[in-house]
Amino acid sequence: MTRVLVIDDEAPILRALKINLTARQYEVSTAADGASGLAAMARDRPDVLILDLGLPDMDGTDVIRGVRGWTSTPIIVLSAWGQESQKVAALDAGADDYVTKPFGMNELLARLRAAVRRASPAPDEPVVTTGEFTVDLARKVVTRAGADVRLTPTEWQLLEVLVRNTGRLVTQRQLLAEVWGPGYQTEANYLRVYVANLRRKLEPDPSAPRYLLTEPGMGYRFRP
Amino acid sequence: MTRVLVIDDEAPILRALKINLTARQYEVSTAADGASGLAAMARDRPDVLILDLGLPDMDGTDVIRGVRGWTSTPIIVLSAWGQESQKVAALDAGADDYVTKPFGMNELLARLRAAVRRASPAPDEPVVTTGEFTVDLARKVVTRAGADVRLTPTEWQLLEVLVRNTGRLVTQRQLLAEVWGPGYQTEANYLRVYVANLRRKLEPDPSAPRYLLTEPGMGYRFRP
DNA sequence: ATGCGGCGTTAAGAAGCCATCAAGATCATT
DNA sequence: AATGATCTTGATGGCTTCTTAACGCCGCAT
């Protein structure tokens, strides 16, 4: 189910969105100001963010930047009519789309569908195979030598980020932000511990990794 | 340079867009109806499509579907104010964004930037190839003779700056400032050491460089 | 010819980063 | 309340990378 976070300080709008989106099978969480919105973003990991620019505590573009600092989750911005410079600023700060109030629910829903569709370009190969093990992203199963490998939730999240970026170098900051949350970008220790766990469970020779590679000073890379 | 195709049957709008976009370093091609627009799409392979829904020969959503049949190039739709059902149909047909006429040029430009940014995570061509090696900026991979070349973080940063300025001379001050920071603009020694490292890893004959060239007294240049 | 400045090369110590282990803290479940 | 699994945290040793300095070469101007 698609998860949506709505950040808006106007209770009627919040309620209307929640009712309409829930009725259409979205899973909705809400926040009423920028600070708790950013916290909810980190906690709930929604698939889309709907953000009202007129928040009481923070400037809207700062919220966008706060989100963009660690994730590329689509952001749809809501704002009053006619403030073109605000539109430009929001889009340049990293928003994906812009809806002017008052808006029709159908338009918002269409933009929501478009944003979700763009964000998941192709549910391409959900199964990745190496010479040693197989990762099924959709079913959340790892197989090695015919048997299932048991991974803890954190181990799985870490492996998933690496596999979704197969061949690409993933920086430590990015891994920490995506697995532990944006507040953990300096806890490089966690990475060492959990990469070691994964290697012990997946690599033929954990001390000479062939698939989960270290790039000293930069990050890690999954190479099938 | 980013290439834009504009499909619109109103000559004044076409002209205004062409002038404004060209002035901002976009490469603009145009078409005045749906059929020739689809042909231009296939011929020019633009990076973004700006499409007016009110075309004389075809329904706008059919043009969108015709494009979406074979490419995921971002589509920004232009249309008259107030026709919400049309908006919804266009977005569901696969459009990425929607601008209502009359629109401000700044807003359109912002949406254009947002569309291009979404479409290409790395703004430029992420892969550069020479006769000897290839550099993939996005994945952070350098391949030479079929094998990956391991680079240290500093080596990467240096190579990245040079490759992002392919063909251009990059001064020593600029390199030092971008790789080591603005306080290191006199430490020309670092450059010699690290350029030598890169040459040893990348050049066929490190003592007679063909790709990482020295410009005595000025700086360095990457020539593919 | 000779001195000078910029460049290439090399090597060694210093600093920072990584792998590994293990023990305490936390959480879910019974 | 107890148990087992999972997560966090700290410490250690080993390794990579960065920094720094020394030396030789080449081109250029005197």
Side-chain angles (χ1 to χ4, degrees), chain A residues 151-172:
Chain A
L151 297 183
T152 72
T154 308
E155 287 166 3
W156 175 260
Q157 275 194 276
L158 180 59
L159 180 64
E160 181 165 346
V161 175
L162 286 171
V163 168
R164 283 198 194 287
N165 292 282
T166 295
R168 196 173 312 157
L169 178 115
V170 190
T171 64
Q172 304 190 3

Side-chain angles (χ1 to χ4, degrees), chain B residues 84-96:
Chain B
E84 187 178 314
S85 64
Q86 209 181 29
K87 281 194 194 183
V88 174
L91 290 167
D92 279 339
D96 291 78

Side-chain angles (χ1 to χ4, degrees), chain B residues 100-194:
Chain B
T100 303
K101 290 192 288 190
F103 53 86
M105 188 55 64
N106 282 332
E107 178 185 351
L108 180 65
L109 287 167
R111 289 191 183 271
L112 200 57
R113 287 193 293 273
V116 171
R117 169 161 42 76
R118 276 197 306 264
S120 56
D124 299 301
E125 191 70 37
V127 180
V128 180
T129 306
T130 74
E132 182 74 15
F133 55 89
T134 70
V135 182
D136 187 329
L137 266 347
R139 292 181 166 186
K140 290 222 187 327
V141 175
V142 178
T143 312
R144 183 187 175 196
D148 287 359
V149 180
R150 271 187 45 76
L151 299 183
T152 72
T154 309
E155 288 165 3
W156 249 113
Q157 282 191 273
L158 180 58
L159 181 63
E160 187 164 339
V161 175
L162 288 170
V163 168
R164 285 199 193 285
N165 293 282
T166 295
R168 278 197 291 273
L169 169 78
V170 189
T171 65
Q172 302 191 359
R173 296 179 67 84
Q174 190 180 342
L175 285 169
L176 287 164
E178 290 205 34
V179 177
W180 280 269
Y184 289 74
Q185 298 190 13
T186 58
E187 302 284 347
N189 226 349
Y190 293 7
L191 283 181
R192 299 198 200 99
V193 172
Y194 277 91

Side-chain angles (χ1 to χ4, degrees), chain A residues 106-122:
Chain A
N106 282 332
E107 178 184 353
L108 181 65
L109 288 167
R111 289 192 183 272
L112 201 57
R113 285 193 294 272
V116 172
R117 171 161 39 76
R118 278 197 305 264
S120 53

Side-chain angles (χ1 to χ4, degrees), chain A residues 34-178:
Chain A
S36 58
L38 286 172
M41 196 69 198
R43 187 184 61 243
D44 301 341
R45 308 297 177 83
D47 302 299
V48 192
L49 169 62
I50 297 178
L51 171 68
D52 188 331
L53 284 192
L55 295 176
D57 62 331
M58 294 176 64
D59 184 65
T61 55
D62 289 335
V63 178
I64 295 174
R65 271 183 281 271
V67 171
R68 275 290 168 272
W70 62 279
T71 178
S72 61
T73 306
I75 303 176
I76 298 177
V77 158
L78 307 179
S79 176
W81 178 83
Q83 313 194 19
E84 187 176 315
S85 65
Q86 210 181 31
K87 280 193 195 183
V88 174
L91 290 167
D92 279 338
D96 290 77
D97 206 344
Y98 200 104
V99 179
T100 303
K101 290 193 288 190
F103 54 87
M105 189 55 64
N106 282 332
E107 178 184 353
L108 181 65
L109 288 167
R111 289 192 183 272
L112 201 57
R113 285 193 294 272
V116 172
R117 171 161 39 76
R118 278 197 305 264
S120 53
D124 53 349
E125 207 66 42
V127 179
V128 179
T129 306
T130 73
E132 183 73 16
F133 55 89
T134 302
V135 182
D136 187 330
L137 289 176
R139 295 177 51 216
K140 295 207 189 304
V141 174
V142 180
T143 313
R144 183 186 178 196
D148 285 2
V149 180
R150 261 192 62 74
L151 297 183
T152 72
T154 308
E155 287 166 3
W156 175 260
Q157 275 194 276
L158 180 59
L159 180 64
E160 181 165 346
V161 175
L162 286 171
V163 168
R164 283 198 194 287
N165 292 282
T166 295
R168 196 173 312 157
L169 178 115
V170 190
T171 64
Q172 304 190 3
R173 295 177 67 83
Q174 189 180 344
L175 284 169
L176 288 164
E178 292 205 31

Side-chain angles (χ1 to χ4, degrees), chain A residues 150 152-154 180 190 193-194 216:
Chain A
R150 261 192 62 74
T152 72
T154 308
W180 279 269
Y190 294 7
V193 172
Y194 278 89

